[in-house]
């Protein structure tokens, strides 16, 4: 399994733990709630769903809403499929939540992990946050060393771009420091303006090396017959 597909499976299981969903609704939630997935397509999601079903972590059910019941006779289509988390899937997701290995500190994986911190135990949250901070501090040190070596050879715009990248990492480190302090003090993050803003930046990919500008979202047309 690739790192990217592993992150997607984790996010799908986490969202379906909240409630069963159609494939189209699930894709929309991945796009809007988890900006890290804003550029992926149906061609990526449905193989993932089929794999999770084959593993016994999800089951497929026919839609049971009034609109779905009318879909087949009126439009010549079968009702949309609803994906539901199984008991085994819930257990697997909880196992994934407890993992704090190096992958949890990487850009895309951290954004997905952070999105489900509300379902994660405090000690695991602390390990992930501290690991992410350590990873970014290492990155920041390398960026500063590189800038010091190449400063004289860079034009003004390239220099400004590198400074912007450093400032983004520094901003996320400050945000992580605040989160770690709050976790240690047992404080609730709700209502924290600075924390909320930084959280959204991180999830949407504007800090710490998450998906870069130029990652153009796909515009696939949803296939209702598949969902």
């Amino acid at each position: 399994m690739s790192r990217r597909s592993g992150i997607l499976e984790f996010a799908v299981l986490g969202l379906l733990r909240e409630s069963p969903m159609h494939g189209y609704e699930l894709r929309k939630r991945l796009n809007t709630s988890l900006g890290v997935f804003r550029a992926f397509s149906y061609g990526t999601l449905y193989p993932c769903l089929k794999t999770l079903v084959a593993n016994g972590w999800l089951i497929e059910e026919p839609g049971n809403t009034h609109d779905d019941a009318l879909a087949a006779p009126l439009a010549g289509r079968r009702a949309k499929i609803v994906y539901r988390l199984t008991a085994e899937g819930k257990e697997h997701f909880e196992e994934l939540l407890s993992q704090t290995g190096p992958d949890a500190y990487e850009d895309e994986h951290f954004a997905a992990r952070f999105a489900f911190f509300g379902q994660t135990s405090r000690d695991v949250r602390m390990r992930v946050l501290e690991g992410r901070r350590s990873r970014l501090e290492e990155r920041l040190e390398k960026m500063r060393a590189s800038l010091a070596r190449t400063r004289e050879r860079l034009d003004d715009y390239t220099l400004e771009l590198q400074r912007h990248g450093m400032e983004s990492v520094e901003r996320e480190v400050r945000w992580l420091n605040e989160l770690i302090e709050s976790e240690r003090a047992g404080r609730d993050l709700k209502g924290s303006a600075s924390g909320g803003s930084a959280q959204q930046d991180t999830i949407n990919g504007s800090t710490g090396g998450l998906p870069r500008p130029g990652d153009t979202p796909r515009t696939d047309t949803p296939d209702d017959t598949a969902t």
Side-chain angles (χ1 to χ4, degrees):
M1 180 192 304
S2 69
R3 178 179 295 177
R4 178 72 172 178
S5 63
I7 299 169
L8 180 57
E9 289 186 6
F10 172 83
V12 167
L13 292 172
L15 289 176
L16 291 177
R17 188 186 186 190
E18 299 172 3
S19 65
M21 296 183 201
H22 298 139
Y24 178 68
E25 180 184 7
L26 183 58
R27 181 176 184 259
K28 186 165 69 172
R29 285 289 306 279
L30 287 164
N31 282 331
T32 57
S33 302
L34 300 174
V36 66
F37 294 108
R38 68 187 183 277
F40 84 107
S41 68
Y42 277 93
T44 302
L45 175 60
Y46 286 105
C48 171
L49 289 170
K50 294 301 182 184
T51 297
L52 295 176
V53 170
N55 288 340
W57 297 329
L58 302 182
I59 57 173
E60 298 177 331
E61 299 176 338
N64 57 7
T65 66
H66 180 66
D67 289 342
D68 286 339
L70 293 177
L74 293 183
R77 301 174 181 175
R78 62 182 175 84
K80 290 182 179 181
I81 293 172
V82 172
Y83 295 91
R84 182 185 300 274
L85 197 65
T86 64
E88 292 80 6
K90 181 179 179 181
E91 182 178 347
H92 179 63
F93 178 67
E94 290 174 349
E95 179 183 345
L96 294 176
L97 279 180
S98 69
Q99 295 177 3
T100 59
D103 281 353
Y105 317 147
E106 298 298 336
D107 297 330
E108 291 183 344
H109 206 155
F110 174 75
R113 287 298 301 268
F114 189 86
F116 296 101
F117 261 22
Q119 304 178 43
T120 306
S121 64
R122 185 182 300 277
D123 62 318
V124 172
R125 292 198 302 264
M126 281 291 294
R127 289 198 293 273
V128 173
L129 290 171
E130 289 175 339
R132 174 65 175 174
R133 180 177 63 180
S134 177
R135 181 63 50 84
L136 289 184
E137 287 174 341
E138 292 173 2
R139 183 182 301 175
L140 193 57
E141 183 176 349
K142 292 178 181 178
M143 293 172 74
R144 287 170 175 160
S146 175
L147 184 61
R149 290 194 305 268
T150 61
R151 181 186 300 272
E152 299 303 323
R153 301 195 300 272
L154 299 177
D155 63 65
D156 290 343
Y157 291 101
T158 304
L159 185 60
E160 188 61 28
L161 183 62
Q162 292 205 10
R163 286 174 175 164
H164 173 68
M166 287 178 54
E167 289 172 358
S168 295
V169 178
E170 289 168 345
R171 183 166 59 249
E172 187 176 347
V173 169
R174 290 194 298 270
W175 172 62
L176 290 167
N177 286 336
E178 293 173 1
L179 288 175
I180 291 169
E181 181 181 349
S182 294
E183 290 288 347
R184 286 175 176 163
R187 294 198 298 268
D188 193 343
L189 295 182
K190 292 180 180 179
S192 172
S194 61
S197 175
Q199 171 187 348
Q200 194 61 41
D201 282 347
T202 301
I203 298 302
N204 287 339
S206 63
T207 65
L210 294 174
R212 307 297 198 273
D215 289 347
T216 305
R218 295 284 295 271
T219 56
D220 304 70
T221 302
D223 180 2
D224 287 345
T225 62
T227 60

